[in-house]
C-alpha cells in the first residue's frame, strides 16, 4: 500500500515547513483568536521563567548577605515576594493555557470532522467498495484528525521553549559563558532519537489498521442490537469471543514489541542528555571552587540549568510531535484532498422529466474484480412504463439498478435521458429525478415521519404528503396505531420508541421512495418481506400510485412482474431475453422455465398447465 511508505524526502526542511504550515493554517481557520492567545500565553510563560531565575538569585544573595553589615531585611522580603508572585503567575498562565488548549483542540476537531465528512459523503459509491479507502478513513478518523492540533501545540511549545531557552540562556551567559554550549549539546541526542521513535509509531499504526478494524467489527457483532438475536440463536458468542481475544492478544504482543523498541530509543536519548547535564553541574561546582562565580549566582544557575533542561525536553517533545504527526498528516492531507468525485451527488437540484431513458451497452466492474458484474447491457425505460429486471442471484440486477441511478459510473457505454448522457446533466439532477429503494434499505432510528420525509430532505416535511405516501405503500394503517403517531421513534433504542416488523419496515421504505416524487422510481425487491395480500395490493395499485412516473422493478417473484411493460432477463451480467410476459412465455426460454418452476411450486402436481 502506497500510504505505508515513508517518503524519501521526509527529512527535508521543506517538508517540515509544509507540514507545519498546513497544520497552522488548519488551526488558524478553526479558531483564530484562541490560537493567538495560546502563543501569547506561551511567551508570557517564558518571560515568567527567566524572571524566576533572577528572583532566585536575588533571594539567595539576600540570604547569604544576612550576617553582614549591609544586610537589608526589606530587600530580602521584597525578593521573596517577587519570587512568590512570579511562581503564582507561572501557575496561572499554565492553567489558563491548559483550558484554552483543550478548547482549541475541540474546535480543530470539529473543523476536521467537517472536512472528513465532506469527503466521505462526497466520494462516489464505488470508492466505498475498496478496502484501502476504509483503512485510510479509519486511520484518519482514529489518529489523524487530532494531529493538526498536536503539531500546532508542538509548534507553540517549540516557540515557548525557544523563548524560555533564550531567556534562561541569557541569564546563564551572564553567570558564566561556558555553561551555555554544554547545555545546548545535551539536547541533540534527544532530538535525534525522537525522530526514530516517530517513524516507529507511524509504521506501527499502519500495520495495526486492519487488525484494529477486525477487532472493532467483532466487538460490534458481540454488542450490536441487531446481531444479538442471531448470536444467541446460533450460540456464536464463544466463537466470536475467542476470535476477539485472539485479535486483541496478538495486538498486545505487537504493542509490547513496539513499546520496547520505542523505549530503547527513548532511554538512549535521555541517558545521554542526563550525562551532559551532570557534566554541566560538575563544571558549575568547579567554577565556584575557582571563585569564578558567586554562590548566589551558582545557586540561581542551578535552578536555571534545571529549568533549561526541562525546556530542552519540551523543545524535543515538540519537535518529536511534529515529526511523529508528519506521516499521519500526509495521510490526512491525501484524504481530505480526495476529490468529491460523485458527479451526481450532494447538490440540491430540481428533478427533471424524461420521455425515455436508454441504458446503452453499459458495463461495470467492481474494484478488485476481473469480470464485469454488468456486461454490455442495453435497456430502455419509457415514460410511465413499469420495467422489470429478473434473473438469478448474482446475475447483476442490483448492480444495473445502481448504474441506472447514477450510483456507479459505467466503464463502457452510458445512460441517456432523452439522448443526453447523464454525466453531462447538471450536478444533482439525476439524483433528484430518481427514487431508489434498495434491497438493504436503511431503517433510521428516528421518527416515523422523518423516515418517510427523508425521501425529500431538501424540502420542509409536508405531513399531508407523508400520509399520502404512507397510504400508497400500505403503511398508514400501522402508523396511525403508533402511540405518538408519526412522531413515534421507530426504534427501541430511544425512549418511547417502537420497532416495526420486517414487512412494515419495507412499507416505510416504499413510502420514502413515493414521497420523493421523482419521475423514475427504482424498486430493488421492494416486496420480498410483504405478505401476499400486501404484495398483491402494492403491485395491483403500482401504476395508480406511480401516477405516470416510471418504475424499474427488480423481483424474484414472477407473479409480481407479470404485468410489467417489458421484462429483461439477466444472466451473468448480460441481458439474455426481453419482452412482455406473454412474449417471453411464448419464447419458451429461461424466463418461461423459471416462471413455470415458481408457479408449479404453488400448485398441486396435477395442475401443470400454468402460464
Ligand atoms: N460490492 C461488491 N463488490 C464486488 N462484487 C460485487 C459487489 N456486489 C456484488 N458483487 C458481485 O457482482 C455480481 C452481481 O451482483 P448483484 O448484487 O448485482 O446481483 P443481483 O442480481 O442483484 O443478485 P440478488 O438476486 O442476489 O440480489 C455478483 O457476482 C456479485 O458477487
Ligand atoms: Mg440484488
Amino acid at each position: 500500500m502506497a500510504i505505508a511508505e515513508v517518503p524519501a524526502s521526509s527529512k527535508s526542511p521543506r517538508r517540515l515547513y509544509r507540514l507545519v504550515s498546513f497544520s497552522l493554517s488548519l488551526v488558524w481557520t478553526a479558531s483564530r483568536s484562541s490560537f493567538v492567545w495560546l502563543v501569547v500565553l506561551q511567551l508570557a510563560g517564558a518571560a515568567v521563567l527567566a524572571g524566576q531565575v533572577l528572583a532566585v538569585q536575588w533571594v539567595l544573595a539576600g540570604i547569604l548577605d544576612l550576617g553582614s553589615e549591609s544586610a537589608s531585611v526589606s530587600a530580602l522580603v521584597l525578593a521573596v515576594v517577587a519570587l512568590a508572585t512570579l511562581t503564582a503567575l507561572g501557575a496561572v498562565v499554565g492553567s489558563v493555557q491548559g483550558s484554552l488548549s483543550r478548547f482549541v483542540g475541540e474546535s480543530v476537531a470539529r473543523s476536521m470532522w467537517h472536512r472528513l465528512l465532506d469527503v466521505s459523503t462526497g466520494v462516489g459509491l464505488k470508492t466505498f467498495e475498496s478496502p484501502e479507502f476504509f483503512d485510510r478513513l479509519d486511520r484518519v478518523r482514529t489518529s489523524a484528525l487530532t494531529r493538526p492540533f498536536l503539531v500546532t501545540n508542538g509548534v507553540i511549545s517549540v516557540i515557548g521553549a525557544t523563548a524560555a531557552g533564550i531567556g534562561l540562556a541569557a541569564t546563564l551567559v551572564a553567570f558564566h559563558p561556558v555553561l551555555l554550549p554544554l547545555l545546548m549539546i545535551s539536547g541533540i541526542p534527544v532530538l535525534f532519537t525522537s525522530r526514530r521513535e516517530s517513524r516507529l509509531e507511524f509504521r506501527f499504526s499502519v500495520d495495526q489498521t486492519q487488525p484494529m478494524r477486525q477487532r472493532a467489527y467483532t466487538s460490534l457483532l458481540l454488542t450490536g442490537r441487531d446481531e444479538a438475536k442471531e448470536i444467541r440463536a446460533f450460540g456464536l458468542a464463544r466463537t466470536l469471543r475467542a476470535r476477539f481475544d485472539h485479535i486483541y492478544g496478538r495486538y498486545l504482543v505487537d504493542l509490547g514489541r513496539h513499546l520496547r523498541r520505542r523505549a530503547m530509543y527513548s532511554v538512549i536519548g535521555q541517558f545521554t542528555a542526563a550525562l551532559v547535564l551532570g557534566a554541566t553541574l560538575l563544571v558549575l561546582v568547579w567554577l565556584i571552587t575557582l571563585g569564578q562565580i558567586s554562590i548566589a549566582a551558582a545557586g540561581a544557575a542551578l535552578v536555571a540549568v534545571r529549568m533549561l533542561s526541562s525546556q530542552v525536553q519540551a523543545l524535543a517533545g515538540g519537535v518529536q510531535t511534529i515529526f511523529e504527526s508528519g506521516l499521519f498528516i500526509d495521510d490526512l492531507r491525501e484524504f481530505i484532498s480526495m476529490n468529491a468525485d460523485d458527479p451526481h451527488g450532494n447538490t440540491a437540484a430540481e428533478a427533471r422529466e424524461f420521455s425515455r431513458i436508454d441504458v446503452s451497452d453499459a458495463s461495470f466492474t467492481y474494484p478488485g474484480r476481473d469480470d464485469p458484474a454488468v456486461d454490455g447491457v442495453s435497456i430502455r425505460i419509457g415514460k410511465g412504463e413499469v420495467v422489470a429486471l429478473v434473473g438469478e442471484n448474482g446475475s447483476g440486477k442490483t448492480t444495473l439498478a445502481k448504474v441506472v441511478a447514477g450510483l456507479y459510473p459505467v466503464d463502457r457505454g452510458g445512460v441517456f435521458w432523452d439522448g443526453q448522457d447523464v454525466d453531462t446533466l447538471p450536478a444533482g439532477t439525476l439524483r433528484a429525478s430518481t427514487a431508489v429503494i434498495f434491497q438493504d434499505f436503511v431503517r433510521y432510528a428516528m421518527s416515523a415521519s422523518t423516515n418517510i420525509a427523508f425521501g425529500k430532505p431538501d424540502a420542509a416535511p409536508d405531513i399531508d404528503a407523508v400520509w399520502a405516501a404512507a397510504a400508497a405503500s400500505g403503511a398508514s394503517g400501522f402508523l396511525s396505531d403508533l402511540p405518538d403517531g408519526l412522531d413515534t421513534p421507530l426504534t427501541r433504542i430511544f425512549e418511547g420508541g417502537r420497532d416495526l416488523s420486517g414487512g412494515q419496515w419495507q412499507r416505510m421504505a416504499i413510502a420514502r421512495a413515493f414521497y420523493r416524487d421523482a419521475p423514475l422510481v427504482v424498486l430493488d425487491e421492494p416486496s420480498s418481506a410483504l405478505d401476499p395480500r400486501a404484495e398483491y395490493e402494492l403491485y395491483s395499485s403500482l401504476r395508480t400510485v406511480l401516477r405516470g412516473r416510471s418504475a424499474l422493478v427488480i423481483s424474484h417473484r414472477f407473479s409480481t412482474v407479470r404485468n410489467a411493460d417489458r421484462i429483461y432477463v439477466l444472466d451473468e451480467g448480460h441481458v439474455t431475453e426481453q419482452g412482455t410476459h406473454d412474449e417471453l412465455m411464448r419464447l419458451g426460454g429461461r424466463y418461461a422455465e423459471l416462471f413455470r418452476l415458481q408457479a408449479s411450486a404453488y400448485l398441486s402436481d396435477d395442475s401443470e398447465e400454468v402460464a
Side-chain angles (χ1 to χ4, degrees):
M1 213 175 3
I3 14 172
E5 296 305 319
V6 177
S9 63
S10 62
K11 287 194 182 98
S12 79
R14 254 189 43 222
R15 188 179 128 78
L16 181 65
Y17 171 77
R18 270 213 317 270
L19 172 68
V20 169
S21 62
F22 173 75
S23 303
L24 285 181
S25 77
L26 288 179
V27 175
W28 181 250
T29 20
S31 66
R32 215 157 282 206
S33 60
S34 310
F35 174 71
V36 172
W37 273 112
L38 271 183
V39 175
V40 169
L41 285 173
Q42 191 75 18
L43 293 177
V48 168
L49 273 189
Q52 276 175 326
V53 173
L54 292 177
V56 166
Q57 190 205 7
W58 198 9
V59 171
L60 281 180
I63 294 171
L64 293 173
D65 222 26
L66 274 182
S68 74
E69 293 146 25
S70 61
S72 152
V73 175
S74 60
L76 180 57
V77 170
L78 201 61
V80 169
V81 169
L83 183 58
T85 312
L86 285 171
T87 309
L89 204 60
V92 170
V93 167
S95 105
V96 173
Q97 215 174 9
S99 310
L100 195 59
S101 155
R102 183 170 158 193
F103 186 79
V104 177
E106 286 295 336
S107 313
V108 175
R110 189 186 73 161
S111 105
M112 293 317 300
W113 267 109
H114 200 75
R115 286 170 186 238
L116 179 125
L117 295 177
D118 275 350
V119 172
S120 64
T121 55
V123 295
L125 188 64
K126 192 177 170 184
T127 309
F128 271 80
E129 307 294 346
S130 102
E132 286 86 25
F133 174 77
F134 277 111
D135 275 352
R136 176 171 278 169
L137 178 60
D138 209 52
R139 226 173 18 246
V140 164
R141 203 170 43 191
T142 52
S143 44
L145 273 190
T146 50
R147 292 290 166 171
F149 181 59
L150 286 181
V151 169
T152 308
N153 251 349
V155 171
I156 291 176
S157 53
V158 167
I159 294 172
T162 310
I166 291 173
L168 291 171
T171 42
L172 273 180
V173 170
F175 296 145
H176 203 289
V178 80
L179 295 172
L180 189 62
L182 267 175
L183 274 158
M184 289 297 146
I185 306 170
S186 72
I188 293 172
V190 179
L191 288 179
F192 179 73
T193 52
S194 60
R195 289 290 304 277
R196 299 251 138 180
E197 288 180 56
S198 323
R199 296 284 174 86
L200 279 182
E201 194 58 48
F202 183 73
R203 181 55 47 81
F204 181 69
S205 154
V206 167
D207 290 346
Q208 294 298 326
T209 313
Q210 287 268 0
M212 289 275 203
R213 277 179 47 210
Q214 296 268 9
R215 196 175 85 202
Y217 174 67
T218 316
S219 76
L220 179 88
L221 288 180
L222 286 165
T223 55
R225 179 173 180 268
D226 290 339
E227 292 78 4
K229 52 182 180 306
E230 190 160 320
I231 302 298
R232 279 158 185 72
F234 278 90
L236 277 172
R238 250 175 310 123
T239 312
L240 288 173
R241 276 298 301 274
R243 197 181 136 98
F244 183 83
D245 290 342
H246 176 71
I247 300 174
Y248 220 137
R250 226 172 29 194
Y251 170 72
L252 285 182
V253 170
D254 290 348
L255 181 67
R257 191 178 328 117
H258 167 68
L259 290 179
R260 277 194 298 280
R261 289 173 69 187
R262 242 197 110 140
M264 189 186 74
Y265 282 120
S266 172
V267 165
I268 293 174
Q270 303 283 356
F271 193 72
T272 326
L275 276 184
V276 182
L277 190 67
T280 315
L281 294 181
L282 284 180
V283 169
L284 206 53
V285 173
W286 180 60
L287 287 177
I288 296 174
T289 56
L290 286 185
Q292 294 261 343
I293 55 175
S294 73
I295 295 184
L302 254 177
V303 174
V305 163
R306 215 27 244 139
M307 286 178 173
L308 192 55
S309 83
S310 66
Q311 291 305 316
V312 171
Q313 296 276 337
L315 187 77
V319 171
Q320 174 168 359
T321 314
I322 294 171
F323 279 117
E324 189 166 308
S325 302
L327 298 161
F328 288 101
I329 285 199
D330 287 340
D331 228 13
L332 174 68
R333 204 166 43 182
E334 275 180 54
F335 186 85
I336 62 178
S337 66
M338 267 176 82
N339 276 332
D341 60 354
D342 184 354
H344 305 294
N346 255 341
T347 320
E350 288 294 311
R352 163 191 157 138
E353 295 291 332
F354 64 90
S355 56
R356 64 180 276 172
I357 296 173
D358 289 281
V359 175
S360 166
D361 192 28
S363 296
F364 176 80
T365 309
Y366 283 101
R369 300 265 312 227
D370 298 328
D371 44 334
V374 165
D375 195 1
V377 166
S378 299
I379 67 168
R380 170 167 57 88
I381 307 167
K383 185 176 170 60
E385 282 184 342
V386 174
V387 173
L389 298 178
V390 299
E392 291 172 35
N393 292 137
S395 56
K397 303 181 297 295
T398 298
T399 312
L400 179 58
K402 285 178 180 164
V403 167
V404 171
L407 291 165
Y408 289 151
V410 286
D411 309 325
R412 210 184 67 212
V415 179
F416 301 89
W417 282 45
D418 292 330
Q420 184 178 1
D421 191 329
V422 290
D423 289 343
T424 65
L425 288 175
T429 304
L430 182 62
R431 294 283 154 75
S433 317
T434 318
V436 195
I437 312 173
F438 295 104
Q439 250 170 325
D440 46 355
F441 56 85
V442 180
R443 302 162 182 218
Y444 298 97
M446 299 180 192
S447 73
S449 60
T450 305
N451 263 281
I452 295 176
F454 268 8
K456 218 182 199 173
D458 293 321
D462 172 351
I463 290 304
D464 292 336
V466 166
W467 276 118
S473 72
S476 49
F478 63 83
L479 286 183
S480 39
D481 288 343
L482 291 174
D484 284 325
L486 285 182
D487 293 331
T488 314
L490 295 187
T491 171
R492 299 288 301 172
I493 61 177
F494 299 127
E495 223 160 293
R498 271 283 178 86
D499 209 344
L500 300 178
S501 76
Q504 289 172 333
W505 266 116
Q506 206 158 37
R507 294 185 211 204
M508 291 301 291
I510 297 170
R512 181 155 66 237
F514 286 158
Y515 181 83
R516 189 167 181 77
D517 198 16
L520 175 67
V521 184
V522 178
L523 305 153
D524 192 352
E525 294 197 53
S527 57
S528 58
L530 298 190
D531 60 59
R533 184 199 301 278
E535 186 178 17
Y536 174 78
E537 283 168 3
L538 175 70
Y539 283 101
S540 54
S541 66
L542 187 59
R543 282 181 205 269
T544 326
V545 169
L546 287 172
R547 282 186 283 127
R549 283 171 264 168
S550 312
L552 180 66
V553 180
I554 299 174
S555 179
H556 282 292
R557 286 199 224 171
F558 285 62
S559 54
T560 62
V561 300
R562 213 183 154 136
N563 295 322
D565 294 295
R566 205 161 30 267
I567 301 166
Y568 292 94
V569 183
L570 282 178
D571 186 32
E572 295 189 353
H574 302 279
V575 171
T576 51
E577 293 168 27
Q578 54 179 297
T580 61
H581 171 78
D582 291 338
E583 287 164 2
L584 290 173
M585 288 310 287
R586 270 200 301 280
L587 188 70
R590 189 103 180 139
Y591 178 87
E593 181 197 346
L594 291 173
F595 185 88
R596 290 214 174 83
L597 204 67
Q598 235 178 47
S600 66
Y602 287 118
L603 299 167
S604 59
D605 289 344
D606 50 14
S607 52
E608 283 280 290
E609 73 294 352
V610 279

